[in-house]
Amino acid sequence: MFLNIENLHAQVEDKTILKGINLRVNPGEVHAIMGPNGSGKSTLSSVLAGREDYEVNAGEIRFLDHDLLEMDADERAQQGVFLAFQYPVEIPGVSNKLFMHTALNAKRAAEGLPALDMFDFEQLALEKMKRLEMSPIMLERSVNVGFSGGEKKRNDIFQMAMLEPKLCIMDETDSGLDIDALRIVANGVNALRSNERSFIVVTHYQRLLDHIKPDFVHVLYDGKIIKSGGFELAQELEERGYDHLIQAYEKV
Amino acid sequence: MQTTQYEEINDILAKNQHYKEGFHTQTLVETFAKGLNEDVVKAISAKKNEPQWMLDFRLKAFRHWQTMPEPHWAKAEYEPIDYQDYSYYSAPECGSCATDGQAESGSAVDPEVAKAFAALGVPIDDSDANIAVDAIFDSVSVSTTKRDQLEKLGIIFCSFSEAVQDHPELVQRYLGSVVPYHDNFFAALNSAVASDGTFVFIPEGVRCPIDLSTYFRINEAKTGQFERTILIAEKGSYISYIEGCSAPIRDTYQLHAAVVEVIVHEDAEVKYSTVQNWYPGDEDCQGGILNFVTKRGVCEGRNAKLSWTQAETGSAITWKYPSCILKGDNSIGEFYSVALTNRRQQADTGTKMIHIGKNTRSTIISKGLSAGKSDNTYRGLVKILPGAEGARNFTQCDSMLIGNQCGAHTFPYIEVQNPTAQVEHEATTSRIGEDQLFYCQQRGISEQDAISMIVNGFCKEVFKELPLEFAQEAEELLAISLEGSVG
């Protein structure tokens, strides 16, 4: 079992947002989660990544051999859960280099691997940056400080490439990206696809999915998955919108 | 929402109870009864066997002090201090004999006191450490190392009390020359009851090959420490001087009112570094050190350079403005500061740069970190006098808030009386938030490492000015002060 979400209920403060999510992801699969605003897409990403503002009141998440909900965010990351943020956070005074070096070595320590020294780290980082068409200067700059929207998202994909996670959750990574940045991000993601690595791509739009081509598409509405299908579902949504699905769901 | 968002940060910060220097040494001590009057001042002077001129200086200061009100203008709240409730002299019995010059350095140190300094990592046994140490325990200096080696270079490195005995002409010339006895309330108090401190004299053209340092330890309860330090760098000389300090955990406030005077002559350079780790008190900062310090240096001659670097992490209240009077043409003043406050600590610190000479330059880099329920204030003055043709100042004040119950304040005063002067001021305020911590954690970095990384990134510019081992110590102190579990 790679990832199995069962009957997941979660709330923020007093508001219940997820009302029974069931989702099973196998190694190598790419799942897209779509849905109108307020349907719970970002909450699902946050709960998977271990953000503490959310309270899980029912259900469970199994990831590999772990009970994911029992783990802190940093442990989940060390075990291979990666969240690409809708709004990557700025950290003034901390260089991208120091940040990634610290993160990578934390993960290596959890895996029982020796720490990478600065030289090996830099070589690896520059290699990955080149593929993402990032300037080496980005390594010296403070994490996301003064980055454009596109640079921030690209920086997140760079971090993903460095950490080589098993499960990548992308929380509306495509919002605020122009067409070129979208292509670079999508190429970055495609380059990381493998039989062992799975993706959950949360998005509003089909355009990112055109580049990434998910294996499954799920429609989230009112805290539940109301319809699942293949890539053709995304195309259908692009043409017809969510309304007909919502109406059909509410009749039942 | 605001409160829940920061609850966790506040929880982490609340765990900070690891003040590892908080032990207490038990040994035979001679401590004066509590209270302060002319007889006490005379008794301190007699105890140190001082000449008449020194006693006169003390009495003059004491009489003036009695006419002064206790200052409360700093952004720090404290009850008026009952000066009669403190003891103004305390010394380990054996240690006091060392200051009488009867014993050579080291050999007569009370074993318990020696143990205390060993536990603090202060090398007082003239070991091969690449640093000379003056170790001060309550009111007296108990050991000064490497003196013989330094003497060969003509460097005087001794306790202030010894300097009064052995170099009266130098002490008389410089004592009160930079910080007069009437300068301010706490300077006057210090001038009256000065306990021990360090005296450093670097002769013309000498580059001191090792760092000189003083370690201050307050041990006795309800005792004040009033050290007086004088540092003189003659023409073309260089010295890097370091001070550190700590105190046991007590449940009542302890008073520390020091005066430091630095005189830098033509072409000389002084680097003065402080890592201040006085006991900050309990959860509510009860029992911490009240740290009221006057530090000032004068760049007397052309091209003189004075650099203050400080890492302030301790004390319940810090009131401290290491300053530079830039008298000589082309002289340079620098102030690099990291001040961290946590819990209910209050720090009001900064600098004064007084530009008198032509083409004088000053740089101020101040990093204030506030956590818990603390208040952290930068207060600085840049003053360009009419004759300071071409003077320049650059000031950068950055504040970082950790959590949502602390405060950061900046009071930069700028007075420019010469139109050719250039003064630049930059200031930023940022906050470590849950978002940043979650971002770091999501990349696999633990919460504590994340805080430490963010804080050290913020302080990097200042730490690089500290001597290497001290930079390390300062980083560790920050980590301990913030996290508790690292120590």
Side-chain angles (χ1 to χ4, degrees):
Chain A
M1 182 55 56
F2 184 75
L3 176 73
N4 191 25
I5 304 174
E6 239 169 65
N7 190 33
L8 183 68
H9 286 68
Q11 66 179 52
V12 147
E13 289 173 355
D14 292 334
K15 194 167 181 242
T16 303
I17 297 178
L18 300 183
K19 301 173 181 170
I21 301 272
N22 295 294
L23 180 66
R24 183 179 280 223
V25 176
N26 293 309
E29 291 177 352
V30 178
H31 291 246
I33 309 268
M34 302 184 75
N37 280 332
S39 56
K41 302 192 297 294
S42 282
T43 301
L44 179 60
S45 312
S46 296
V47 169
L48 281 169
R51 197 172 188 122
E52 302 207 350
D53 308 343
Y54 298 87
E55 199 184 323
V56 173
N57 22 36
E60 70 164 5
I61 306 175
R62 302 290 308 178
F63 173 63
L64 299 170
D65 292 329
H66 309 287
D67 178 352
L68 204 64
L69 296 174
E70 286 298 306
M71 295 158 73
D72 285 339
D74 48 335
E75 290 175 77
R76 297 186 198 191
Q78 289 160 11
Q79 294 302 325
V81 176
F82 183 95
L83 173 67
F85 284 65
Q86 187 174 0
Y87 304 106
V89 178
E90 300 185 2
I91 310 178
V94 176
S95 70
N96 247 340
K97 191 195 272 178
L98 175 66
F99 180 77
M100 266 333 285
H101 195 196
T102 309
L104 187 59
N105 280 338
K107 180 166 188 269
R108 290 176 66 91
E111 288 166 353
L113 294 170
L116 276 191
D117 69 14
M118 198 38 105
F119 303 104
D120 290 341
F121 167 79
E122 226 176 291
Q123 196 183 348
L124 181 68
L126 291 174
E127 225 169 82
K128 305 267 183 193
M129 290 174 89
K130 202 170 167 188
R131 274 194 231 157
L132 287 161
E133 300 175 42
M134 285 169 75
S135 154
I137 298 165
M138 303 292 264
L139 216 45
E140 311 298 330
R141 287 173 57 183
S142 290
V143 178
N144 293 328
V145 176
F147 287 25
S148 70
E151 282 173 329
K152 285 181 182 174
K153 299 290 169 76
R154 221 182 296 179
N155 200 29
D156 256 24
I157 304 299
F158 160 65
Q159 295 173 3
M160 189 194 280
M162 289 296 290
L163 294 170
E164 301 184 325
K166 300 187 181 87
L167 173 66
C168 305
I169 305 153
M170 309 191 60
D171 188 8
E172 301 197 26
T173 296
D174 49 346
S175 65
L177 288 188
D178 61 30
I179 295 186
D180 290 332
L182 189 74
R183 177 186 52 81
I184 292 166
V185 165
N187 288 349
V189 170
N190 285 331
L192 287 168
R193 283 175 83 157
S194 81
N195 291 335
E196 288 92 47
R197 184 171 297 129
S198 308
F199 288 81
I200 294 177
V201 181
V202 173
T203 181
H204 262 299
Y205 307 107
Q206 194 201 340
R207 42 177 216 167
L208 178 65
L209 303 182
D210 284 342
H211 291 280
I212 293 183
K213 300 268 186 331
D215 304 306
F216 301 94
V217 174
H218 309 278
V219 177
L220 196 62
Y221 173 71
D222 192 28
K224 283 182 181 165
I225 290 175
I226 59 168
K227 190 167 172 96
S228 296
F231 180 50
E232 71 288 346
L233 178 57
Q235 288 164 314
E236 185 191 325
L237 288 170
E238 190 73 9
E239 283 159 28
R240 301 181 57 191
Y242 296 111
D243 284 351
H244 72 287
L245 287 179
I246 292 168
Q247 280 162 11
Y249 165 73
E250 292 196 328
K251 267 184 213 158
V252 176
Chain B
M1 186 69 195
Q2 273 296 77
T3 40
T4 53
Q5 192 182 359
Y6 289 102
E7 249 166 32
E8 197 178 338
I9 296 181
N10 294 329
D11 279 355
I12 293 174
L13 296 171
K15 287 181 202 144
N16 160 31
Q17 290 296 339
H18 291 234
Y19 184 75
K20 68 176 163 36
E21 291 81 1
F23 61 85
H24 169 225
T25 303
Q26 288 209 316
T27 182
L28 274 179
V29 289
E30 180 183 12
T31 302
F32 280 14
K34 284 179 188 173
L36 181 57
N37 52 48
E38 281 207 12
D39 289 339
V40 170
V41 174
K42 284 178 188 161
I44 294 169
S45 190
K47 196 78 211 159
K48 292 173 177 284
N49 203 15
E50 286 175 351
Q52 188 63 37
W53 58 264
M54 188 62 205
L55 177 61
D56 291 345
F57 177 81
R58 288 178 182 276
L59 289 172
K60 196 165 52 177
F62 181 68
R63 286 168 195 151
H64 189 77
W65 177 73
Q66 286 176 302
T67 69
M68 301 174 92
E70 189 180 74
H72 281 268
W73 47 261
K75 196 154 173 44
E77 278 170 34
Y78 58 98
E79 293 293 310
I81 296 165
D82 180 2
Y83 294 90
Q84 300 305 329
D85 195 34
Y86 282 89
S87 164
Y88 289 82
Y89 184 86
S90 172
E93 288 210 323
C94 194
S96 65
C97 62
T99 60
D100 295 338
Q102 292 165 358
E104 283 311 304
S105 64
S107 57
V109 176
D110 181 307
E112 289 304 314
V113 175
K115 247 191 249 169
F117 281 111
L120 294 164
V122 178
I124 61 165
D125 55 349
D126 244 329
S127 59
D128 46 1
N130 197 22
I131 188 166
V133 182
D134 184 15
I136 296 181
F137 197 81
D138 288 332
S139 305
V140 295
S141 165
V142 295
S143 164
T144 312
T145 66
K146 308 233 184 238
R147 294 170 57 160
D148 299 347
Q149 274 166 268
L150 294 168
E151 238 163 65
K152 285 180 195 140
L153 295 165
I155 294 170
I156 303 170
F157 177 54
C158 63
S159 72
F160 178 75
S161 305
E162 286 169 287
V164 169
Q165 304 295 335
D166 301 343
H167 307 283
E169 67 301 335
L170 283 174
V171 176
Q172 275 180 283
R173 181 172 162 199
Y174 289 110
L175 178 68
S177 71
V178 190
V179 181
Y181 69 86
H182 51 75
D183 188 82
N184 66 69
F185 182 84
F186 293 109
L189 177 62
N190 174 285
S191 302
V193 300
S195 40
D196 224 337
T198 304
F199 185 84
V200 177
F201 176 86
I202 314 289
E204 187 170 333
V206 171
R207 248 190 107 79
C208 188
I210 52 175
D211 290 345
L212 302 187
S213 73
T214 306
Y215 196 93
F216 296 98
R217 176 75 176 169
I218 299 179
N219 188 57
E220 272 313 288
K222 276 280 177 185
T223 307
Q225 191 176 61
F226 305 93
E227 87 255 12
R228 187 93 192 185
T229 289
I230 299 179
L231 201 156
I232 303 143
E234 288 282 54
K235 189 175 171 185
S237 64
Y238 169 84
I239 171 67
S240 166
Y241 175 81
I242 298 165
E243 59 181 14
C245 39
S246 65
I249 292 170
R250 298 285 186 194
D251 53 9
T252 51
Y253 288 122
Q254 280 167 284
L255 186 58
H256 175 252
V259 171
V260 173
E261 298 179 275
V262 180
I263 299 98
V264 194
H265 290 285
E266 195 175 328
D267 294 321
E269 180 179 349
V270 173
K271 253 183 102 67
Y272 196 112
S273 311
T274 305
V275 173
Q276 188 261 105
N277 182 27
W278 292 119
Y279 177 55
D282 63 12
E283 195 60 33
D284 292 323
C285 288
Q286 292 293 318
I289 296 279
L290 303 178
N291 192 31
F292 299 108
V293 173
T294 307
K295 286 183 167 170
R296 196 177 300 155
V298 57
C299 288
E300 262 317 321
R302 290 175 63 85
N303 306 320
K305 181 176 176 186
L306 172 58
S307 213
W308 299 101
T309 306
Q310 60 174 22
E312 303 278 320
T313 62
S315 300
I317 295 178
T318 296
W319 180 96
K320 180 182 171 192
Y321 315 90
S323 303
C324 300
I325 300 169
L326 303 171
K327 225 168 171 181
D329 291 348
N330 306 326
S331 60
I332 297 173
E334 293 176 335
F335 176 73
Y336 299 99
S337 170
V338 166
L340 166 77
T341 53
N342 194 1
R343 295 182 258 171
R344 290 188 186 273
Q345 281 177 282
Q346 306 174 81
D348 190 310
T349 184
T351 184
K352 287 190 272 188
M353 294 289 176
I354 314 292
H355 292 254
I356 300 172
K358 294 189 180 64
N359 300 317
T360 45
R361 279 180 291 159
S362 62
T363 304
I364 300 170
I365 310 277
S366 163
K367 305 276 181 178
L369 284 149
S370 337
K373 294 176 178 166
S374 67
D375 263 304
N376 200 320
T377 302
Y378 168 81
R379 186 186 302 276
L381 169 68
V382 175
K383 188 168 184 171
I384 315 273
L385 274 80
E389 203 71 22
R392 294 183 63 174
N393 163 265
F394 174 76
T395 300
Q396 187 182 332
C397 287
D398 297 326
S399 306
M400 181 175 271
L401 300 165
I402 306 172
N404 64 338
Q405 296 172 63
C406 50
H409 319 274
T410 306
F411 300 106
Y413 301 92
I414 300 171
E415 290 175 33
V416 179
Q417 298 170 23
N418 184 309
T420 63
Q422 288 182 43
V423 177
E424 285 174 68
H425 182 97
E426 289 177 9
T428 65
T429 302
S430 53
R431 187 192 289 278
I432 298 190
E434 285 287 342
D435 283 350
Q436 284 179 328
L437 292 182
F438 178 63
Y439 192 72
C440 293
Q441 277 189 283
Q442 214 304 305
R443 300 301 181 249
I445 301 168
S446 74
E447 197 156 25
Q448 297 195 347
D449 286 349
I451 292 180
S452 175
M453 183 173 71
I454 294 169
V455 163
N456 280 310
F458 177 75
C459 301
K460 208 159 33 187
E461 263 174 292
V462 171
F463 286 167
K464 72 177 198 303
E465 298 294 328
L466 283 171
L468 198 61
E469 320 78 73
F470 257 52
Q472 181 90 31
E473 186 181 329
E475 277 188 27
E476 281 165 15
L477 261 181
L478 278 194
I480 292 164
S481 301
L482 280 171
E483 295 152 19
S485 65
V486 176

